[in-house]
Structure formats: C-alpha cells, structure tokens
Amino acid sequence: TLGIYIIIIMKQLLILFGFLLVNQFSNAQNKLEFNSVDSLFKYAENNSFSIKTGEQQVLLAKWQKISAQAGLVNFRMQTSFSLTDNVKLPVTYFPAEAFGGEPGTFKEVTTGQQFMGNFNFAPQIDIINPVSWAKLKSAKINSELTDINNLIVKKALFESISASYYNIISLKEQIEISQRNLLTADTLQTIMQNKYSEGILRQQDLNDAIINKLSLADKLKQLEISLNQQYYALKVLCDIPQNEKLTITENVNYNQVFNIGLQVNNQLEHKSSLLKADLAKEDLRVNRLSQYPTVSIVAYDGWQQNSKNEFFDSNSNWVNSQYIGLRLSMPFPDISRFTLTKNAKINKTISEFEAKHAKHENDIANIQLVLDYEKAYSQFKTANQIFLLKEENYQMASNQFNAAILSSDKLLIAFDDMLVSQLNYSASLANLLYAKSKIEINNSIQ
C-alpha cells in the first residue's frame, strides 16, 4: 500500500513539474523585450500591417504598370464557336420566270441549311493608340508615387512608435520616482502623527500630511495606468499580438549632450506633391489624346459548315474564309469629353499650386524639427536646474522643520514642489529624446 501511495505521489509531482515547465516555456514564448527604439523599428518593419499593406500597394502598382505596357498594342483575340439548328428556314421570293413560270410572278424558295456550324478567330492589334501611351506614363508615375507615399506612411509610423516608446521610458522613470517619494511621504505622515500625538502639531497639519500621501498614491496609480495605455498603444502601432508581453528595458540616461549643427532635408511630401502634379498633367493628356484616332490591324479567319442532315456532317466540308486590313477608329466629339478635359486642366493647375505650397511647407517642417530639438534641450536643461534647486529647498525645509523653525505646511509644499520638478525633469528628457529621434527618422527615411 505504501508503494502504491508513493507511485501516485510521484506521478502527481511529474504532472505538476511538466505543467510548470510548459507554462514557463509558454511565458518565454509570449514575451518581447526591446532595449532600443531601433530594435522596435525593425520589429515593426517586419510585422506592421501598415507596412505590409504598403508592400501590397507597391505590387499592385507594378501590375498596373505591366498592364499599361501590354495595353500599348492592346492585342485582342475574339474567338467564337456556334452551332445553329434552323428549325424553320427563311423563305425568299425569286422571279417565277427563272423557274419557267409566268413573268411578273414570284416563287417562294426556302434558302439555307438547317444545321450550321461556325468557328472563327478575329485578332486585332493597335499600332497607333495615343491614349495607351499616355496611360503607360501615368502608370509609371503612379508606381513612383506609391513608393513615396509608403515611405511617408513608414515615417509617420516610426514617429508615432518613437513617441510611445519614449513616453513609456519616461512613465517608468516617473513611477520609480513616485514610489521612492511615496516612502518619503509615508515617513512625513508618521513624523506628523508622532508630533500630533505629542501635541506639537494641529489636526489640520496632520490632515495635510495624509492628503499629501493620498495624492501621491493616486498620482502613482494614474502613472501606472498611463504606462499600460502606452504599452497597448505601442502594440497597436507595431501590430504586436495582445497575448504577447511587451517590455522596454532601455535605462534612462540623463547625460544628454547637445548636438550642434543638426540638419534635416526630408523632401518626401514635396516629392509626393510633384508626382501628383505629374499625374494630373498626364490625366489631362489622356483626355486630350482620347479625341485622336486609333489605327489597328484587324484580321479574320473562320470556318463554316452547312448541312441539311446533322451537325458535323462528314459529307459536308468546312468552308474557310479570311481577311486582313487596317481599321481607323475615331471617337465622336461630345460635351462629356469636353467637360472632362476642362476639369482635368483645372485639376492640373490646382496640383501645381499645391506642389509649390508643399515645397514651402516641407522646408518649414524640416526647420521646425531642428527648432523643436533646440527647444526640448533648453527645457531639459532648465528642468534639471529647477529640480536641483527644488531638491535643495526641500532638504533645507526638512532640516528647518526638524529644528522646529519651519511649519509643516511649508515642508509639504517644498516636498510637492520637489516631486513635481523631478517628474517634469523626467518628462523633459523623454521630449528631448523624441525630438532627436524624429530628426534621425526624417534623415533616414527619404
């Protein structure tokens, strides 16, 4: 009995060990760690549905270009096969005198065969087709525009990822700061409680200390919620599955050096506007050329069998007929085509204005990126100085409070000022890193 009991226990232990092993493997499988924003960019480049959609759009533009190239000759092969059973053959009236009848009278004659078979080919090739030539150029421009627009989408995606990434780093740092200061707030509350018990402090002073701790605890909770929201936002941007555990492991580095002479020369928006203007120009060209004639080589090769007995009658021959020639096709001018041409001309003018504006806007945006970086660095340095002064003020206020020469409310104010300045310092670092990252993104994706 003891041996059976031991065997049962061993089996249960093995099952438990296997479960823990599988669970640990599963957790390892569903955990993603990133130690830099560049590593996150690489993941997004391979997994983001936005980028994958762009790749499919490039493929679609490629096939549209191939289709336009094939449309230059516009080869068409109309093929038909038919079998007809003339249940009632048509009647034709012939002069009766041809059959020995009286002049001026007619004789009813049934013409044709009951069973008819037709099989024919009618190829056509355009040798002069101005519209197809214009559409080919439009397809080439559209292919280039698709590439540029995909780069714009990628740049915007990376900028959003960078913003979320550095927000996470800042929020993690702010949570650690708040946790440390929560311990300090708890110590302050204990000191106030002891002084109140000794009759040194008023009830409202103790209440202020309790409120200070509660406020800081609530701030910490809000920061933790914001951190989770940023993680979910990052999962959406990078298309990371919800069951994957995402972790950012990069450490905060406050030792930031100002990069002198940063320049940005990203012209993607301007290039896109120029290609759109070219497309509008080609659209006008297509509408104009659609009024020109098309010259085609046409041909025909067909076989016909007629029989009064059955289909595919072995006693009846298949009769072949052929022709080859040129066909000139010219559209008839109408008000609709005239209106479309006028609209295309107006759209061309508008797109040219937009291209000039896009150039100006693009140049200003590049300058703005550098100014944002300079502004962020200035705010970062100022936030650092303010934090150091607020920290010094709090230390002096704490010493004065312990020496009973400073009231508790001023101590709590100094503590709150120090905490706010430290959180601002952390947020300014994230803003600086994001501004710098945007410049790097704009210089790398062009």
Side-chain angles (χ1 to χ4, degrees):
T1 304
L2 181 59
I4 295 174
Y5 181 71
I6 293 174
I7 291 173
I8 293 173
I9 292 177
M10 291 296 294
K11 285 184 177 180
Q12 291 177 342
L13 288 174
L14 286 172
I15 293 172
L16 179 61
F17 178 75
F19 174 78
L20 292 174
L21 189 64
V22 170
N23 188 47
Q24 184 177 1
F25 178 75
S26 176
N27 289 336
Q29 285 264 3
N30 295 330
K31 187 175 181 180
L32 288 174
E33 291 186 357
F34 299 96
N35 59 3
S36 69
V37 70
D38 289 334
S39 62
L40 200 55
F41 290 160
K42 291 179 181 178
Y43 180 90
E45 203 160 12
N46 294 326
N47 297 275
S48 170
F49 290 132
S50 298
I51 293 179
K52 289 182 178 180
T53 300
E55 292 172 352
Q56 293 302 310
Q57 289 173 341
V58 169
L59 189 60
L60 181 62
K62 175 185 175 182
W63 282 107
Q64 288 175 343
K65 181 179 175 181
I66 293 173
S67 176
Q69 289 173 333
L72 289 178
V73 295
N74 194 21
F75 175 75
R76 301 181 293 282
M77 174 69 81
Q78 183 177 351
T79 305
S80 64
F81 174 72
S82 64
L83 294 173
T84 304
D85 183 354
N86 296 301
V87 180
K88 286 188 177 181
L89 292 170
V91 175
T92 303
Y93 292 90
F94 286 96
E97 59 185 332
F99 300 93
E102 297 180 4
T105 61
F106 294 88
K107 181 177 178 60
E108 294 181 355
V109 178
T110 302
T111 60
Q113 299 282 353
Q114 181 178 354
F115 299 99
M116 297 177 59
N118 283 284
F119 183 54
N120 59 72
F121 301 93
Q124 179 174 330
I125 300 175
D126 295 342
I127 56 175
I128 300 177
N129 192 343
V131 173
S132 295
W133 297 341
K135 287 183 177 179
L136 174 59
K137 190 170 183 180
S138 294
K140 291 179 179 178
I141 295 172
N142 183 64
S143 180
E144 295 177 21
L145 180 60
T146 301
D147 291 335
I148 294 296
N149 287 343
N150 283 339
L151 289 176
I152 293 174
V153 170
K154 181 180 177 180
K155 180 173 72 70
L157 175 64
F158 279 16
E159 288 177 353
S160 298
I161 290 173
S162 177
S164 186
Y165 178 86
Y166 288 114
N167 278 338
I168 288 174
I169 289 180
S170 177
L171 288 169
K172 288 176 64 178
E173 175 71 3
Q174 291 181 52
I175 287 172
E176 292 181 6
I177 292 170
S178 299
Q179 288 172 340
R180 290 196 301 267
N181 283 276
L182 186 60
L183 296 175
T184 304
D186 184 65
T187 302
L188 288 175
Q189 180 182 338
T190 302
I191 293 173
M192 302 289 184
Q193 180 68 54
N194 293 335
K195 289 184 177 293
Y196 173 76
S197 300
E198 295 172 2
I200 301 175
L201 287 180
R202 301 170 299 172
Q203 178 68 53
Q204 54 264 43
D205 295 327
L206 176 59
N207 289 345
D208 287 341
I210 296 173
I211 292 171
N212 180 65
K213 181 183 175 182
L214 290 173
S215 298
L216 184 52
D218 180 67
K219 185 187 292 291
L220 177 59
K221 184 64 177 178
Q222 297 303 319
L223 288 171
E224 291 172 346
I225 293 173
S226 296
L227 179 61
N228 287 330
Q229 289 175 334
Q230 287 297 320
Y231 269 123
Y232 281 119
L234 200 55
K235 283 186 175 183
V236 171
L237 289 169
C238 300
D239 287 295
I240 298 173
Q242 186 177 351
N243 62 338
E244 296 277 359
K245 183 179 180 181
L246 175 60
T247 306
I248 304 299
T249 61
E250 183 176 351
N251 296 322
V252 174
N253 180 14
Y254 284 94
N255 297 321
Q256 296 296 321
V257 180
F258 181 72
N259 292 336
I260 302 174
L262 280 179
Q263 297 292 329
V264 181
N265 189 29
N266 188 297
Q267 295 293 329
L268 287 178
E269 295 290 348
H270 181 220
K271 290 177 182 177
S272 176
S273 66
L274 287 176
L275 289 172
K276 289 177 182 177
D278 288 342
L279 270 182
K281 180 180 178 181
E282 289 306 311
D283 184 49
L284 174 60
R285 188 162 167 257
V286 166
N287 278 281
R288 285 174 173 171
L289 292 178
S290 64
Q291 303 174 39
Y292 284 67
T294 300
V295 179
S296 308
I297 297 176
V298 294
Y300 176 85
D301 193 4
W303 290 265
Q304 180 177 348
Q305 184 191 57
N306 299 323
S307 174
K308 63 180 180 179
N309 298 318
E310 60 181 351
F311 293 121
F312 303 107
D313 190 352
S314 58
N315 295 320
S316 296
N317 295 325
W318 287 87
V319 180
N320 179 239
S321 59
Q322 299 176 342
Y323 68 77
I324 187 170
L326 290 176
R327 176 178 295 163
L328 180 68
S329 303
M330 178 174 287
F332 186 80
D334 57 27
I335 188 64
S336 176
R337 177 57 58 188
F338 177 79
T339 304
L340 288 174
T341 303
K342 286 296 182 182
N343 289 340
K345 186 176 182 180
I346 294 171
N347 289 332
K348 172 181 170 292
T349 303
I350 292 174
S351 64
E352 288 172 348
F353 290 151
E354 290 177 344
K356 291 179 181 178
H357 177 71
K359 170 62 176 173
H360 177 69
E361 194 173 40
N362 209 160
D363 291 340
I364 295 298
N366 290 335
I367 296 172
Q368 188 65 46
L369 287 173
V370 178
L371 292 177
D372 287 343
Y373 172 72
E374 294 175 356
K375 178 182 176 182
Y377 188 81
S378 176
Q379 292 175 336
F380 170 71
K381 297 301 291 184
T382 303
N384 179 28
Q385 294 171 352
I386 292 174
F387 165 62
L388 292 176
L389 292 172
K390 292 291 185 180
E391 186 179 35
E392 185 179 5
N393 285 349
Y394 171 71
Q395 292 299 330
M396 291 189 293
S398 180
N399 293 336
Q400 292 169 359
F401 175 77
N402 292 331
I405 58 176
L406 186 73
S407 62
S408 61
D409 57 338
K410 291 186 178 180
L411 174 64
L412 293 176
I413 290 173
F415 172 77
D416 187 61
D417 287 347
M418 180 196 66
L419 175 60
V420 170
S421 66
Q422 191 173 11
L423 295 177
N424 288 339
Y425 182 34
S426 174
S428 68
L429 173 64
N431 188 42
L432 172 63
L433 294 174
Y434 172 58
K436 183 180 179 182
S437 177
K438 283 183 69 176
I439 291 176
E440 293 171 350
I441 291 169
N442 277 266
N443 283 335
S444 61
I445 303 177
Q446 294 189 31

